[in-house]
């Protein structure tokens, strides 16, 4: 993953996409989209493969969001995750895990 540059923001920028992103509410807690993924086996493995710095940053955002949720508060608006700045940090690791799983399934099917 050394040469990978994380994709910022969604592939397609649109008013509707931005509206839906802001409506979801996770950005008000400072979370990224990848922080909110359902943790199936592929996502868990991708998280396990994260570099320590990204893993710690992810855990900090989640712990802060949990604290804010428990105190029924949100971050000040200037600290919300912006639609354009949402980094898909887990995407390359998740794609790699999915590809490996599919290859393993294909191998097991043929052998």
């Amino acid at each position: 993953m050394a040469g990978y540059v994380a994709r910022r923001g969604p592939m397609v920028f649109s008013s509707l996409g931005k509206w839906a992103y802001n409506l979801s509410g996770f950005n008000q807690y400072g979370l990224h989209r990848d922080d909110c993924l359902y943790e199936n086996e592929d996502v868990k493995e991708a998280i396990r493969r994260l570099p320590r710095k990204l893993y710690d940053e992810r855990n900090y955002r989640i712990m802060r969001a949990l604290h804010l949720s428990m105190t029924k508060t949100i971050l000040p608006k200037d600290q919300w995750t912006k639609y354009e700045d949402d980094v898909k940090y887990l995407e390359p690791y998740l794609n790699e895990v999915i590809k490996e799983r599919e290859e393993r399934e294909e191998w097991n099917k043929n052998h």
Side-chain angles (χ1 to χ4, degrees):
M1 296 294 117
Y4 177 78
V5 177
R7 185 166 57 83
R8 297 176 91 63
M11 291 290 256
V12 178
F13 290 96
S14 69
S15 297
L16 181 61
K18 189 171 186 175
W19 174 79
Y21 181 86
N22 289 324
L23 187 65
S24 67
F26 65 82
N27 64 322
Q28 298 174 8
Y29 294 101
L31 294 171
H32 293 271
R33 181 194 68 94
D34 286 353
D35 296 334
C36 302
L37 294 176
Y38 174 74
E39 290 191 17
N40 60 22
E41 293 303 315
D42 292 339
V43 173
K44 287 178 185 176
E45 177 61 22
I47 291 168
R48 190 189 67 75
R49 293 182 186 190
L50 283 173
R52 188 70 180 168
K53 184 177 187 296
L54 286 176
Y55 183 79
D56 290 343
E57 289 171 352
R58 178 182 193 277
N59 284 338
Y60 173 78
R61 287 190 302 271
I62 291 171
M63 294 301 292
R64 179 178 60 180
L66 288 171
H67 175 74
L68 290 167
S69 179
M70 287 187 314
T71 58
K72 298 189 185 313
T73 57
I74 58 173
L75 290 172
K77 191 160 184 144
D78 64 328
Q79 294 181 26
W80 291 7
T81 305
K82 293 174 185 62
Y83 176 72
E84 299 82 11
D85 297 335
D86 191 354
V87 176
K88 310 294 191 279
Y89 66 91
L90 195 60
E91 189 174 278
Y93 302 96
L94 185 56
N95 290 340
E96 183 178 281
V97 167
I98 291 169
K99 184 178 177 187
E100 288 173 5
R101 177 181 46 80
E102 289 170 348
E103 287 176 5
R104 196 169 37 255
E105 289 170 354
E106 184 67 26
W107 172 264
N108 290 337
K109 188 168 56 172
N110 293 329
H111 291 88

